[in-house]
């Protein structure tokens, strides 16, 4: 367990360093990283106000702790405090343009705050660097929809959905690993999620359904 916690802390430190090359991340004590982990758990459990307060403390304690600041913005956004969230995200994106996650959330907040034009301009810059990110494409579609441009919104939503097959393939590979080790009860939910992501005419659907049938057969044999 200690090794897992230590690996988690190392991973966070590497992420901090990579997202702020021009502003090297400060050295973080284990206590701060533990608080960050606890605050993320609160966020994912829907305790947004508690998480926001913790992320605020962390970002104030270490000005270069960009991930804590980003999570503070996301908590504010989830609380409906979108103007405050926009200020957080835009500040991060301006301080570190390479931090594309901040740019994405800044665009989402701008759209929510009635600034779809600014969001589209920001998203065009981000898409110029990564035109295959389905989240950017979906955010662009949302900004187009906010401007009542239905044709562009539908176009970009369709472009975004094209990458669902890549996500489905990840689910399939996960299911195959579980299958290989006889963990059929873990493989089946991955297969079901995979099938939900796949279009009816996908060439991948046949092999996924065949794997599901094989697992159901083996589960029956075990009984």
């Amino acid at each position: 367990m200690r090794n897992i916690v230590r690996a988690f802390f190392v991973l966070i430190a590497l992420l901090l360093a990579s997202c702020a090359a021009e502003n090297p991340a400060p050295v973080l004590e284990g206590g701060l990283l533990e608080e960050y982990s606890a605050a993320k758990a609160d966020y994912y459990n829907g305790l947004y106000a508690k998480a926001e307060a913790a992320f605020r403390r962390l970002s104030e304690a270490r000005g270069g702790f960009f991930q804590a600041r980003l999570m503070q913005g996301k908590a504010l956004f989830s609380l409906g405090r979108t103007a405050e969230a926009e200020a957080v995200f835009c500040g991060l994106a301006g301080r570190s343009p390479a931090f594309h996650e901040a740019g994405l959330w800044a665009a989402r907040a701008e759209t929510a705050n009635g600034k779809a034009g600014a969001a589209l301009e920001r998203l065009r810059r981000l898409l110029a660097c990564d035109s295959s990110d389905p989240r950017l494409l979906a955010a662009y579609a949302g900004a187009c929809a906010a401007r009542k441009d239905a044709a562009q919104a539908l176009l970009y939503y369709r472009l975004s959905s094209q990458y669902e097959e890549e996500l489905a393939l990840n689910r399939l590979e996960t299911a195959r690993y579980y299958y290989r080790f006889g963990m059929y009860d873990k493989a089946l939910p991955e297969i079901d999620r995979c099938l939900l992501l796949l279009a009816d005419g996908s060439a991948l659907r046949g092999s996924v359904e065949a794997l599901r049938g094989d697992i159901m057969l083996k589960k029956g044999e075990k009984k």
Side-chain angles (χ1 to χ4, degrees):
M1 184 65 183
R2 289 180 180 176
N3 289 337
I4 293 174
V5 172
R6 189 178 297 112
F8 171 78
F9 288 163
V10 170
L11 176 60
I12 293 296
L14 290 172
L15 287 171
L16 292 171
S18 66
C19 74
E22 67 274 25
N23 296 292
V27 176
L28 299 170
E29 296 85 358
L32 288 178
L33 287 172
E34 289 174 4
E35 187 177 352
Y36 174 74
S37 178
K40 282 195 76 171
D42 287 334
Y43 173 82
Y44 287 120
N45 286 321
L47 303 175
Y48 301 127
K50 182 181 178 183
E52 190 276 330
F55 290 129
R56 184 186 297 275
R57 286 194 302 272
L58 287 165
S59 61
E60 288 173 353
R62 288 291 183 274
F65 200 163
F66 288 177
Q67 287 291 339
R69 186 72 168 151
L70 177 75
M71 290 303 301
Q72 182 198 352
K74 290 170 71 172
L76 288 167
F77 193 91
S78 297
L79 287 165
R81 294 159 60 181
T82 55
E84 294 173 75
E86 181 186 339
V88 169
F89 297 136
C90 289
L92 277 174
R95 185 173 174 183
S96 182
F99 195 3
H100 288 179
E101 185 80 4
L104 168 64
W105 278 93
R108 287 172 172 167
E110 286 167 340
T111 299
N113 291 327
K115 302 174 184 177
L120 288 170
E121 184 177 341
R122 183 185 300 278
L123 289 164
R124 288 188 193 103
R125 292 196 298 271
L126 293 171
L127 284 165
C129 297
D130 187 1
S131 61
S132 64
D133 187 331
R135 299 177 308 158
L136 293 176
L137 293 167
Y140 195 93
C144 288
R147 300 190 78 181
K148 312 297 184 186
D149 188 345
Q152 285 291 96
L154 286 171
L155 170 63
Y156 278 88
Y157 276 130
R158 284 198 298 269
L159 288 172
S160 176
S161 67
Q162 289 177 359
Y163 295 92
E164 289 177 353
E165 186 144 330
E166 292 184 20
L167 298 175
L169 185 59
N170 290 337
R171 294 289 187 182
L172 176 58
E173 291 304 323
T174 303
R176 282 174 172 161
Y177 270 101
Y178 283 137
Y179 172 78
R180 186 180 303 171
F181 294 108
M183 302 168 71
Y184 304 135
D185 287 334
K186 288 184 176 292
L188 284 172
E190 295 296 331
I191 289 174
D192 290 340
R193 294 185 186 103
C194 178
L195 289 170
L196 285 172
L197 288 166
L198 289 174
D200 290 340
S202 171
L204 194 59
R205 183 173 283 274
S207 59
V208 177
E209 290 175 342
L211 178 60
R212 193 181 198 286
D214 193 28
I215 289 174
M216 294 303 294
L217 180 63
K218 290 185 182 303
K219 279 174 62 71
E221 290 174 354
K222 285 180 69 175
K223 292 179 181 179

